[in-house]
Amino acid sequence: MLELTDVDAFYGNSRALQGINLMVGNGEFLSVLGRNGVGKTTLMRSILGLMDRVTGRLSLDGADISPLRTYQRAKAGIAYVPQGRGILPKFTVRENLTLGTFAAKSAGGIEEWVLELFPVLKDFLNRYGGNLSGGQQQQLAIARALLAQPKVILLDEPTEGIQPNIVEQIEDVITRLNRERGITVVLVEQNVAFARRASHRFALLEKGRVVAKGAIGELTDDLIQLHMAV
Ligand SMILES: Nc1ncnc2c1ncn2[C@@H]1O[C@H](COP(=O)(O)OP(=O)(O)OP(=O)(O)O)[C@@H](O)[C@H]1O
Ligand SMILES: [Mg+2]
């Protein structure tokens, strides 16, 4: 399980997260919700070791991961699908996928089951990443993360700015990764309907703090109105 205890995170001297306590059990699906600028991406970056400074405790399966560098956290089983996808535009689809395999504990290559989740990638293996549509790039980013053989996958707004027909496919794949493959999911979303359908638990952020959390059934319309309406 992934656990954050009293986590604060800083950009320089500016504190972007304060006193975060969160836990996601093995095989669970946690959605992290909140308006723009509340600290959702900062939370992902803190888990990955990409912040200037993080205090408090971060553990994976009981082991403290705070001292680990980002690549070591990846090897320990934490994969990341960043907001904006982070595809290398001048690398082919195959090369982008190969980068994902480097983070795997045991060298597995580009596994067939991952390509089968996203048949379009199989057809476009030799195309440049930059020539894919936004939705296809998002699929590539998810596939790349899966090739690292993660225990936990962190997804930062994977449906943001994507055509509705592909959104549905992406939601379906993320849900199945959790339900059928048992991969633990931490999903950052502003898409509440998807979070409700897919998650076991939720956390709502406001100004760098967790203001509500619990079983997904406890995410009431009042809470959404209070913490997500713009
Ligand atoms: N590189 C940075 N340097 C300084 N402050 C930053 C930096 N990145 C983000 N912040 C600040 O940290 C706070 C949290 O930002 P963060 O990107 O985590 O929000 P978010 O919830 O992911 O927002 P969004 O929904 O727009 O993606 C904001 O106040 C933001 O201005
Ligand atoms: Mg963000």
Short mmCIF file of all heavy atoms in Angstrom, two decimals, residues 40-41 83 156-157 188, ligand 2:
data_model
loop_
_atom_site.label_atom_id
_atom_site.label_comp_id
_atom_site.label_asym_id
_atom_site.label_seq_id
_atom_site.Cartn_x
_atom_site.Cartn_y
_atom_site.Cartn_z
N LYS A 40 -3.19 19.13 -6.75
CA LYS A 40 -3.33 17.74 -7.17
C LYS A 40 -2.05 17.24 -7.87
O LYS A 40 -1.54 16.16 -7.55
CB LYS A 40 -4.53 17.58 -8.12
CG LYS A 40 -5.85 18.07 -7.50
CD LYS A 40 -7.04 17.88 -8.44
CE LYS A 40 -6.94 18.63 -9.76
NZ LYS A 40 -6.93 20.11 -9.63
N THR A 41 -1.55 18.03 -8.80
CA THR A 41 -0.32 17.63 -9.50
C THR A 41 0.86 17.63 -8.52
O THR A 41 1.72 16.74 -8.57
CB THR A 41 -0.04 18.58 -10.69
OG1 THR A 41 -1.12 18.44 -11.62
CG2 THR A 41 1.27 18.26 -11.38
N GLN A 83 0.11 14.92 -16.25
CA GLN A 83 -0.84 15.85 -16.86
C GLN A 83 -0.18 16.41 -18.13
O GLN A 83 1.00 16.78 -18.11
CB GLN A 83 -1.11 16.99 -15.88
CG GLN A 83 -2.23 17.91 -16.29
CD GLN A 83 -2.66 18.83 -15.14
OE1 GLN A 83 -1.92 19.03 -14.17
NE2 GLN A 83 -3.85 19.37 -15.25
N ASP A 156 -2.67 11.69 -13.91
CA ASP A 156 -3.03 13.08 -13.64
C ASP A 156 -3.94 13.62 -14.75
O ASP A 156 -3.46 13.94 -15.85
CB ASP A 156 -1.76 13.93 -13.51
CG ASP A 156 -2.03 15.29 -12.87
OD1 ASP A 156 -3.21 15.69 -12.77
OD2 ASP A 156 -1.05 15.96 -12.47
N GLU A 157 -5.22 13.70 -14.48
CA GLU A 157 -6.23 14.21 -15.42
C GLU A 157 -6.12 13.60 -16.82
O GLU A 157 -5.96 14.28 -17.82
CB GLU A 157 -6.19 15.75 -15.48
CG GLU A 157 -6.41 16.36 -14.09
CD GLU A 157 -6.95 17.79 -14.12
OE1 GLU A 157 -7.73 18.11 -15.04
OE2 GLU A 157 -6.60 18.57 -13.22
N VAL A 188 -6.08 11.51 -10.51
CA VAL A 188 -6.44 12.91 -10.31
C VAL A 188 -7.47 13.26 -11.38
O VAL A 188 -7.24 12.99 -12.56
CB VAL A 188 -5.19 13.81 -10.44
CG1 VAL A 188 -5.61 15.27 -10.65
CG2 VAL A 188 -4.30 13.67 -9.23
MG MG B 2 -2.60 19.61 -12.11
#
